[in-house]
Amino acid sequence: MVHEDEPVLLGRAGRTARITLNRPRALNALTHPMVLRISEALARWEDDESVTAVIISGAGERGLCAGGDIRAIHEDARTGGAASPAFWRDEYRLNARIARFPKPYVALMDGIVMGGGVGVSAHGTVRIVTERSAVAMPETGIGLVPDVGGTYLLSRAPGELGTHLALTGRAVGAADALLCGLADHFVPSERLDAVRTALAGPDVREAAHVTETVRGYGTAAPEGQLAADREWIDPCYAAGTVEEIVERLLATGLPAAKEAAETILTRSPTALKATLEALRRARPLPTLEEALDQEYRASCAALATPDLLEGIRAQVIDKDRRPRWSPKELAQVTEADVARFFAPPPGGDLGLAAGV
């Protein structure tokens, strides 16, 4: 029996299995039990010959998923930080499972798709955005480094677009998500129900059929902004340090570049420097699993910094949007501060790459 108040609804339509994130009042934010339920379902469906494809979507009108439940992370960090590493272990394993799932995994990235929401969608086989999509990795605003495979995805975006999105935490619409490799198809939101129905049909039996079916409902996305902005994004973000990136942005004299610099300067200085280093290290990594291993180290390290508690307090708990970062200036963040984000955590490494 399905209980509509369950945080993850699992169902079937024809030979298509469906996952619905069902916490609409919390923008479908992921909890540890939700991660485990999705992972267990995928494990079952992987060997179930009656399932030919999986669709993930979010309940409500606001979005697929706004990320992990950072209120829970805040409470955990405040009381010792034992639960969050366990959550991240299972969440990152789920991200890797999605990326290697042997059947078509279709993500309906409608509305807000941020942080952990990117993790359960952008590693899929067929990733659909709509005119309502807002895709982002906003972790630097709460003292974290982009995770859930975010450094892997963003490090592979054209030029320095991924660096821009990682440092600023900026949300992008459909066209820019497509440009950055975070999505594959634009489908107007009014056609999503038709896509679901079509994918449940008897003719959809393999990946090629799924892609062909989705493409039949797609159109050209409304024009984005990042392609034109690469004129200043690529040379500015190619700098070796966050300080130099900010200097180059301000020196352009362009309003959009100045706005990016000002946004960066509101983020956690420690998280910014660790994020830039994580992106540079992620570029040559051959597998998502290696990037997730690196991100696990960074997330565990962030638990021990004051900025994670302070960032979540300012953005989510008190909502005053006035974080007091420590250290407060980029120049005060040392190489040793950054190096801690890449050291093995006290509880041991994630070890995903070893299993590939």
Side-chain angles (χ1 to χ4, degrees), residues 36-37 52 55 62 89 91 104 123 151 157 254 260 332 337:
L36 293 174
R37 183 163 168 80
T52 57
I55 300 176
R62 297 168 65 196
R89 275 183 177 273
E91 184 183 24
H123 301 301
T151 61
L254 298 170
Q332 296 172 323
D337 292 333

Side-chain angles (χ1 to χ4, degrees), residues 30-298:
L30 290 171
T31 63
H32 199 167
M34 291 171 71
V35 165
L36 293 174
R37 183 163 168 80
I38 296 167
S39 190
E40 289 163 2
L42 291 179
R44 289 196 308 273
W45 294 333
E46 189 169 324
D47 298 321
D48 186 340
E49 293 184 1
S50 71
V51 172
T52 57
V54 174
I55 300 176
I56 187 168
S57 61
E61 297 294 319
R62 297 168 65 196
L64 171 66
C65 174
D69 188 344
I70 58 176
R71 285 180 177 271
I73 293 172
H74 181 273
E75 180 61 22
D76 181 51
R78 198 175 61 80
T79 57
S84 295
F87 167 63
W88 287 322
R89 275 183 177 273
D90 289 325
E91 184 183 24
Y92 301 171
R93 285 171 175 152
L94 173 60
N95 303 145
R97 179 184 287 278
I98 290 168
R100 295 192 180 272
F101 195 66
K103 300 173 182 179
Y105 180 100
V106 182
L108 305 186
M109 301 171 70
D110 186 33
I112 291 173
V113 185
M114 297 185 179
V118 173
V120 296
S121 60
H123 301 301
T125 323
V126 178
R127 306 161 302 169
I128 299 170
V129 282
T130 75
E131 77 283 356
R132 303 188 297 203
S133 295
V135 184
M137 294 299 295
E139 284 76 11
T140 57
I142 58 167
L144 276 171
V145 171
D147 63 343
V148 299
T151 61
Y152 184 84
L153 294 166
L154 293 176
S155 69
R156 283 151 174 79
E160 293 292 338
L161 293 180
T163 312
H164 172 58
L165 298 185
L167 296 185
T168 62
R170 172 185 168 182
V172 296
D176 290 333
L178 293 165
L179 172 64
C180 291
L182 301 173
D184 307 299
H185 304 277
F186 174 80
V187 176
S189 58
E190 63 189 23
R191 299 184 185 177
L192 291 181
D193 284 342
V195 169
R196 288 188 182 93
T197 301
L199 291 178
D203 295 333
V204 179
R205 294 184 302 276
E206 55 189 53
H209 295 148
V210 171
T211 300
E212 183 180 340
T213 300
V214 170
R215 191 177 289 124
Y217 290 90
T219 63
E223 188 174 356
Q225 184 61 44
L226 290 182
D229 286 349
R230 283 191 64 186
E231 289 184 357
W232 56 267
I233 286 175
D234 286 356
C236 289
Y237 287 92
T241 66
V242 180
E243 291 95 326
E244 189 178 351
I245 288 171
V246 172
E247 289 173 7
R248 290 187 186 186
L249 289 169
L250 294 173
T252 65
L254 298 170
K258 180 175 182 287
E259 180 184 348
E262 290 171 346
T263 297
I264 289 170
L265 292 174
T266 68
R267 306 312 195 207
S268 159
T270 302
L272 286 169
K273 288 201 170 184
T275 294
L276 183 61
E277 179 67 15
L279 287 170
R280 299 294 190 253
R281 291 187 183 210
R283 275 183 179 166
L285 295 179
T287 67
L288 169 64
E289 285 81 0
E290 287 173 89
L292 287 166
D293 284 346
Q294 177 176 279
E295 290 170 358
Y296 181 73
R297 290 183 170 192

